[in-house]
Amino acid sequence: MNVSGEAVGKLTRYYKIPSHKVLVVHDDLDLPTGKVRLRARGGHGGHNGMRSITQHLKGSQDFPRLKIGIGRPAGQLPVASFVLQAFNKAEATEIDIAVQECCDIIHSIMAVGLEKALSGVRA
Protein backbone atom coordinates (compact mmCIF):
# COMPACT_ATOMS: atom_id res chain seq x y z
CA MET A 1 0.00 0.00 0.00
CA ASN A 2 2.89 2.37 0.65
CA VAL A 3 3.80 2.29 -3.06
CA SER A 4 0.25 2.20 -4.44
CA GLY A 5 1.06 5.29 -6.48
CA GLU A 6 3.07 3.14 -8.88
CA ALA A 7 -0.06 1.28 -10.01
CA VAL A 8 -2.27 4.38 -9.95
CA GLY A 9 0.25 6.35 -12.00
CA LYS A 10 0.60 3.60 -14.61
CA LEU A 11 -3.17 3.20 -14.97
CA THR A 12 -3.84 6.92 -15.27
CA ARG A 13 -1.16 7.31 -17.94
CA TYR A 14 -2.24 4.22 -19.90
CA TYR A 15 -5.94 5.17 -19.92
CA LYS A 16 -5.22 8.93 -20.06
CA ILE A 17 -7.27 9.63 -16.95
CA PRO A 18 -6.84 13.12 -15.48
CA SER A 19 -6.03 13.14 -11.78
CA HIS A 20 -9.30 14.90 -10.86
CA LYS A 21 -11.15 11.80 -12.16
CA VAL A 22 -9.25 9.39 -9.86
CA LEU A 23 -11.09 8.47 -6.65
CA VAL A 24 -8.81 7.10 -3.95
CA VAL A 25 -10.35 5.21 -1.03
CA HIS A 26 -8.04 4.89 1.97
CA ASP A 27 -7.82 4.45 5.72
CA ASP A 28 -7.33 7.48 7.96
CA LEU A 29 -5.85 7.41 11.44
CA ASP A 30 -7.17 10.88 12.21
CA LEU A 31 -10.81 9.89 11.87
CA PRO A 32 -12.64 7.81 14.46
CA THR A 33 -13.19 4.17 13.52
CA GLY A 34 -15.95 3.88 10.96
CA LYS A 35 -16.23 7.60 10.19
CA VAL A 36 -16.35 8.28 6.42
CA ARG A 37 -15.29 11.53 4.80
CA LEU A 38 -15.32 12.53 1.13
CA ARG A 39 -12.94 15.29 0.01
CA ALA A 40 -12.44 16.80 -3.45
CA ARG A 41 -8.69 17.19 -2.94
CA GLY A 42 -6.05 17.58 -0.24
CA GLY A 43 -2.63 16.62 1.02
CA HIS A 44 -1.27 13.23 1.99
CA GLY A 45 -1.68 13.83 5.73
CA GLY A 46 1.36 11.67 6.47
CA HIS A 47 -0.23 8.65 4.76
CA ASN A 48 2.52 6.87 2.80
CA GLY A 49 0.15 5.44 0.20
CA MET A 50 -1.33 8.87 -0.45
CA ARG A 51 2.16 10.36 -0.62
CA SER A 52 3.05 7.75 -3.25
CA ILE A 53 -0.11 8.45 -5.27
CA THR A 54 0.53 12.20 -5.21
CA GLN A 55 4.11 11.64 -6.34
CA HIS A 56 3.03 9.38 -9.23
CA LEU A 57 0.33 11.82 -10.30
CA LYS A 58 3.15 14.30 -10.97
CA GLY A 59 2.70 16.00 -7.62
CA SER A 60 -0.99 16.71 -8.15
CA GLN A 61 -3.19 16.76 -5.05
CA ASP A 62 -6.17 17.49 -7.28
CA PHE A 63 -7.93 14.14 -6.91
CA PRO A 64 -10.88 13.17 -4.74
CA ARG A 65 -10.44 10.86 -1.82
CA LEU A 66 -12.82 8.86 0.30
CA LYS A 67 -11.45 8.29 3.78
CA ILE A 68 -12.44 5.55 6.20
CA GLY A 69 -11.51 6.25 9.80
CA ILE A 70 -9.59 3.61 11.69
CA GLY A 71 -8.74 5.71 14.77
CA ARG A 72 -5.36 5.94 16.48
CA PRO A 73 -3.54 3.16 18.31
CA ALA A 74 -3.96 3.05 22.05
CA GLY A 75 -0.92 3.28 24.29
CA GLN A 76 2.52 2.69 22.86
CA LEU A 77 1.52 0.47 19.92
CA PRO A 78 3.47 1.62 16.84
CA VAL A 79 1.30 2.92 14.00
CA ALA A 80 2.79 0.38 11.56
CA SER A 81 1.71 -2.49 13.82
CA PHE A 82 -1.69 -0.92 14.45
CA VAL A 83 -2.66 -0.56 10.78
CA LEU A 84 -1.69 -4.19 10.07
CA GLN A 85 -3.59 -5.81 12.91
CA ALA A 86 -7.11 -7.22 12.60
CA PHE A 87 -10.08 -5.21 13.83
CA ASN A 88 -11.81 -6.41 16.97
CA LYS A 89 -15.47 -7.45 16.66
CA ALA A 90 -16.93 -4.01 17.44
CA GLU A 91 -14.48 -2.26 15.10
CA ALA A 92 -15.17 -4.78 12.34
CA THR A 93 -18.89 -4.01 12.57
CA GLU A 94 -18.19 -0.27 12.32
CA ILE A 95 -15.86 -0.83 9.35
CA ASP A 96 -18.44 -3.01 7.58
CA ILE A 97 -20.98 -0.20 7.90
CA ALA A 98 -18.39 2.35 6.70
CA VAL A 99 -17.55 0.23 3.65
CA GLN A 100 -21.24 0.07 2.73
CA GLU A 101 -21.47 3.85 3.16
CA CYS A 102 -18.44 4.20 0.86
CA CYS A 103 -20.15 2.02 -1.75
CA ASP A 104 -23.21 4.28 -1.56
CA ILE A 105 -21.04 7.39 -1.94
CA ILE A 106 -19.18 5.91 -4.91
CA HIS A 107 -22.50 5.04 -6.54
CA SER A 108 -23.63 8.63 -5.96
CA ILE A 109 -20.44 10.06 -7.47
CA MET A 110 -21.04 7.96 -10.57
CA ALA A 111 -24.76 8.88 -10.75
CA VAL A 112 -24.86 12.57 -9.80
CA GLY A 113 -21.23 13.69 -9.93
CA LEU A 114 -18.60 14.56 -7.36
CA GLU A 115 -19.88 18.06 -6.54
CA LYS A 116 -23.37 16.85 -5.62
CA ALA A 117 -21.98 13.84 -3.76
CA LEU A 118 -19.74 16.21 -1.77
CA SER A 119 -22.84 18.17 -0.74
CA GLY A 120 -24.49 14.99 0.54
CA VAL A 121 -26.72 14.07 -2.41
CA ARG A 122 -27.08 10.28 -2.63
CA ALA A 123 -28.39 8.42 -5.65
Side-chain angles (χ1 to χ4, degrees):
M1 302 277 77
N2 288 345
V3 293
S4 53
E6 292 176 10
V8 172
K10 287 178 182 177
L11 284 168
T12 57
R13 285 188 300 280
Y14 182 82
Y15 289 105
K16 298 176 178 50
I17 302 168
S19 61
H20 70 276
K21 294 286 188 178
V22 174
L23 175 64
V24 177
V25 182
H26 68 91
D27 61 346
D28 193 316
L29 287 163
D30 293 324
L31 291 176
T33 302
K35 174 80 174 163
V36 174
R37 184 170 290 159
L38 176 63
R39 293 287 183 247
R41 60 183 324 272
H44 59 71
H47 191 289
N48 290 328
M50 293 299 289
R51 182 180 286 122
S52 173
I53 291 169
T54 299
Q55 178 184 10
H56 285 86
L57 292 177
K58 300 179 181 165
S60 175
Q61 296 180 353
D62 183 29
F63 57 91
R65 63 273 331 266
L66 187 52
K67 305 175 181 190
I68 302 175
I70 59 169
R72 288 241 168 226
Q76 301 296 324
L77 183 64
V79 169
S81 298
F82 175 71
V83 299
L84 295 175
Q85 73 182 10
F87 294 110
N88 66 36
K89 189 172 182 143
E91 292 167 334
T93 299
E94 290 179 65
I95 295 298
D96 287 345
I97 293 167
V99 168
Q100 183 56 57
E101 183 179 350
C102 287
C103 291
D104 294 343
I105 291 170
I106 292 167
H107 177 78
S108 294
I109 292 169
M110 300 301 290
V112 301
L114 178 63
E115 292 304 316
K116 287 184 179 177
L118 281 163
S119 69
V121 174
R122 298 293 174 254

